[in-house]
Amino acid sequence: MNTNVRVKLMTMMFLQFFCWGAWYGQMSKYMFDSLKASGDQVGNAYTAFSIAMIISPFFVGMIADRYFSAQKVLSVLNFIGAIILFFLTKISDPSQFFWYILAYCITFAPTISLTTSISMRHIASPEKDFPSIRVMGTISWIVVTNIIGFMNVGGEVTIFTIAMGAAIVQGLFSWFLPDTPPKVAAEKTSFGQILGADAFLLFKDRSFAIFFISSVLICIPLSFYYAMANPSLTDSGMTNVENKMSLGQASEVIFMLLIPFAFQRFGVKWMLAIGLIAWIIRFACFGYGDAATSEWLLYLAIVLHGVCFDFFFVTGQIYTDNKAGVKIKAQAQGLITLATYGLGMGIGSKLAGIITDIYTVDGVKNWTSIWLVPAGIAAVVLVFFILIFKDNTRTAKA
């Protein structure tokens, strides 16, 4: 692979996740601290991202893939997003904030697919070359959250100012990326294909149907982590929260490397089950950990991110790829993305806000009770999955 192209793609991915990491994990703290938002308003803000994730594939597939070069679309979306972020930083009403973050997410969500699409179009071997490009996103997330932590601005509007700056840089840099013109007419994608209609055939496989349902359900407690972990850790008395939460991304890299070995040792069923068990343990640690007396529980909750995410979601992507035939691999992955990041996390984000309000009395949040809710949901999913899911393939199908 051409070194110049590789460096450009790695830089693009770094900027993409720098922009995302600047605000996503810290948004709840900002809304609670600076906007004095309710739990439901915070949940709604995270739901906005899920709504955008549902819309995004249709935008990319029906418009970006057909009429414009991908790098130009990436540039325009980043510039529009930066403008929206500028006006968002002026908002002090949490109810108005929802509409601004929704507008921004609608411009941001398609860039996630676009950066992947641009990368895939310019590498010879996705299996060999893409991981080294994609890992720059994880590194970037670690970098930006540590910057925010050292600056101690996790609860301030500065997080969106940083994201705005990164969006502008990405918008400018996009014009130096390799040209990625629209796909030829023969490759045009229909509305049904974007929805993943052809992949519905996979539901005839009972094990895949159980996996699909479990994936949607586990995204409900996953949303609690993204929306509430930062303010929960802050209220526990932990300092430099953003810096310490970046250990979760570091563990993600480590456990990603362990997946091939774990696949051979445990098989898909028990890898997925281990991921679910890790979620339960993690939420219990968040609920019962305290910076003054048991900070080690909070650290354990943070570093379990690698097991939770990689062993369930990454293993799930591999499982889906193995189940789908060559013709519907892309549709199958698209269907999983729509169902999990769209439907599952959308429900979870809304529920996280409602549960937080239920267990908030006189402005004080009962985090133990809040975290036991996603722990309970994960436990139900685990029992459902272990009892009904039968496929335990240890090697990829030819």
Side-chain angles (χ1 to χ4, degrees):
M1 181 180 179
N2 182 282
T3 301
N4 184 49
V5 171
R6 178 188 293 277
V7 171
K8 287 182 178 180
L9 295 178
M10 292 173 73
T11 303
M12 172 192 72
M13 200 65 72
F14 185 93
L15 291 170
Q16 173 71 25
F17 280 79
F18 195 95
C19 183
W20 193 1
W23 64 273
Y24 191 70
Q26 293 71 245
M27 180 168 67
S28 53
K29 180 189 284 190
Y30 166 71
M31 293 187 71
F32 282 134
D33 292 357
S34 297
L35 300 186
K36 308 304 178 185
S38 67
D40 188 47
Q41 288 171 325
V42 172
N44 289 340
Y46 280 93
T47 301
F49 182 79
S50 294
I51 293 171
M53 286 298 291
I54 293 174
I55 297 172
S56 170
F58 298 96
F59 174 85
V60 174
M62 304 299 288
I63 299 176
D65 279 351
R66 295 189 177 205
Y67 304 110
F68 307 101
S69 293
Q71 80 279 3
K72 294 179 181 178
V73 177
L74 180 65
S75 175
V76 172
L77 287 174
N78 272 282
F79 284 135
I80 295 175
I83 293 172
I84 295 173
L85 284 173
F86 172 78
F87 288 104
L88 180 148
T89 61
K90 309 300 178 184
I91 297 298
S92 58
D93 183 344
S95 60
Q96 291 183 14
F97 179 87
F98 169 79
W99 297 107
Y100 283 85
I101 196 64
L102 175 61
Y104 172 66
C105 287
I106 289 174
T107 68
F108 178 78
T111 66
I112 300 173
S113 298
L114 283 169
T115 50
T116 299
S117 176
I118 292 170
S119 299
M120 291 298 187
R121 292 277 294 276
H122 295 282
I123 56 181
S125 173
E127 296 83 1
K128 178 182 177 182
D129 297 323
F130 185 67
S132 64
I133 294 171
R134 172 58 182 81
V135 76
M136 291 304 298
T138 302
I139 293 172
S140 176
W141 194 291
I142 294 172
V143 170
V144 70
T145 52
N146 273 281
I147 290 173
I148 289 169
F150 285 126
M151 292 174 64
N152 195 28
V153 293
E156 300 177 15
V157 75
T158 307
I159 61 175
F160 293 106
T161 304
I162 293 173
M164 179 177 65
I168 292 172
V169 174
Q170 178 79 301
L172 293 171
F173 182 74
S174 296
W175 291 93
F176 298 93
L177 291 171
D179 186 36
T180 311
K183 297 177 181 178
V184 296
E187 297 178 354
K188 287 182 179 179
T189 306
S190 69
F191 184 90
Q193 287 174 323
I194 293 171
L195 184 62
D198 292 345
F200 288 172
L201 293 172
L202 291 173
F203 292 129
K204 293 181 178 180
D205 184 314
R206 183 169 174 269
S207 291
F208 182 83
I210 298 303
F211 159 73
F212 182 86
I213 294 170
S214 299
S215 296
V216 174
L217 293 178
I218 199 60
C219 277
I220 296 175
L222 169 64
S223 299
F224 277 75
Y225 166 69
Y226 284 127
M228 299 301 169
N230 193 309
S232 172
L233 292 172
T234 300
D235 286 353
S236 76
M238 179 177 274
T239 58
N240 302 110
V241 171
E242 288 78 19
N243 302 84
K244 293 169 183 175
M245 284 189 70
S246 70
L247 293 173
Q249 278 64 50
S251 76
E252 184 181 330
V253 175
I254 294 171
F255 283 100
M256 185 83 71
L257 298 175
L258 294 176
I259 283 180
F261 306 100
F263 225 102
Q264 292 294 327
R265 177 66 179 84
F266 300 112
V268 65
K269 177 175 182 176
W270 292 107
M271 282 189 68
L272 294 170
I274 289 170
L276 291 170
I277 292 170
W279 279 111
I280 299 170
I281 296 172
R282 182 183 213 195
F283 292 134
C285 290
F286 274 132
Y288 291 103
D290 181 83
T293 60
S294 52
E295 192 170 29
W296 68 272
L297 284 174
L298 301 179
Y299 276 106
L300 178 59
I302 292 171
V303 299
L304 275 173
H305 181 72
V307 185
C308 294
F309 190 85
D310 292 340
F311 273 44
F312 194 90
F313 290 99
V314 177
T315 298
Q317 290 174 333
I318 296 171
Y319 176 69
T320 299
D321 196 67
N322 289 342
K323 282 289 184 181
V326 175
K327 292 183 179 180
I328 63 170
K329 283 182 186 286
Q331 288 193 55
Q333 295 290 355
L335 180 62
I336 287 291
T337 300
L338 278 173
T340 53
Y341 286 92
L343 179 61
M345 288 191 66
I347 295 172
S349 296
K350 181 66 176 178
L351 182 62
I354 293 173
I355 294 298
T356 300
D357 279 343
I358 289 174
Y359 290 110
T360 300
V361 179
D362 296 329
V364 179
K365 299 174 180 63
N366 184 337
W367 286 112
T368 300
S369 297
I370 292 170
W371 286 115
L372 287 180
V373 173
I377 296 173
V380 171
V381 177
L382 174 65
V383 173
F384 168 77
F385 180 79
I386 288 181
L387 292 179
I388 303 178
F389 186 86
K390 302 298 182 183
D391 194 341
N392 197 37
T393 304
R394 280 180 165 73
T395 57
K397 297 177 182 178

